[in-house]
Amino acid sequence: VGRALKLIDLMVNRGVSPGEILDILGYIMPGFLELTFPMALLIGVLLGFGRMASDQEITAARSSGISLQRLAVPVLLVALAAFIVAAWLALVARPWANARLQDQLYQMTRAQAIAGIKEKVFNNNLPGLVVYTERIDPARSRLFGVVLSDDRDPHESSTVIAASGVLIPDLTHSSVVLRLFDGSV
């Protein structure tokens, strides 16, 4: 739910399309299902056998000659199937989805790097950095009147003031670089 709220914020405030949000949700689901699928099975088995015990159905089955082992065989078969699905989710689907999620987030950041920065607002979306800009030219990914406060290293905090800057995607490191021009530290 916490991630869903962040995704809705991306869609409403940052201009991310609903299709991209659905892609991201699809990439998050294997990690979610990896835990919830076996837990749902466990809760279902406990509730089912608990209800059978409280209604004296287990006693009735045993008195009619049905052993507990015979009752447990279908549960064990379903548990084996759930184990196979959970192992596939953990060992195959989740690593693939995590890699695709990183690629998707990078593509969104690269395509809409300017969308994360607002004009005349102190933007603190990046940990340890605060970016302020007077004007943004989204067509050229240019920022004008940039003030950058860097507190990533507590021993060496700095403030950079620049006349302009440009956001450049770095494909080799899967990041976005902010290059500043005509500035001082």
Side-chain angles (χ1 to χ4, degrees):
V1 172
R3 286 184 179 176
L5 293 175
K6 290 179 182 179
L7 292 175
I8 291 171
D9 177 58
L10 284 174
M11 189 169 64
V12 172
N13 295 327
R14 309 274 190 234
V16 176
S17 72
E20 291 173 324
I21 296 297
L22 289 175
D23 285 345
I24 291 173
L25 282 174
Y27 297 140
I28 292 173
M29 289 305 282
F32 174 73
L33 292 176
E34 175 186 343
L35 296 175
T36 57
F37 190 65
M39 291 302 272
L41 178 69
L42 175 67
I43 290 172
V45 168
L46 290 175
L47 286 175
F49 277 110
R51 179 65 187 231
M52 287 174 67
S54 69
D55 291 345
Q56 302 299 322
E57 290 178 15
I58 292 180
T59 306
R62 299 260 333 240
S63 64
S64 65
I66 299 173
S67 68
L68 287 178
Q69 291 174 342
R70 187 169 171 195
L71 289 174
V73 169
V75 173
L76 291 175
L77 292 175
V78 171
L80 179 64
F83 168 75
I84 291 169
V85 169
W88 179 81
L89 284 169
L91 299 174
V92 176
R94 186 174 183 187
W96 175 84
N98 285 344
R100 294 289 302 142
L101 177 64
Q102 291 297 325
D103 291 342
Q104 179 78 16
L105 291 175
Y106 173 69
Q107 294 299 330
M108 285 173 40
T109 302
R110 191 180 87 169
Q112 301 173 358
I114 291 293
I117 300 175
K118 297 179 184 174
E119 290 181 349
K120 299 180 181 178
V121 173
F122 289 98
N123 299 282
N124 57 356
N125 300 340
L126 302 171
L129 293 174
V130 177
V131 180
Y132 176 86
T133 183
E134 282 291 320
R135 188 169 60 87
I136 298 175
D137 180 6
R140 297 185 301 154
S141 296
R142 300 257 325 170
L143 309 172
F144 298 97
V146 180
V147 177
L148 177 82
S149 174
D150 184 359
D151 291 331
R152 292 177 290 182
D153 184 5
H155 302 293
E156 290 186 35
S157 62
S158 62
T159 302
V160 179
I161 300 171
S164 64
V166 63
L167 288 168
I168 304 167
D170 182 4
L171 297 175
T172 58
H173 296 99
S174 296
S175 63
V176 178
V177 175
L178 173 61
R179 181 167 292 162
L180 301 174
F181 303 100
D182 301 325
S184 61
V185 178

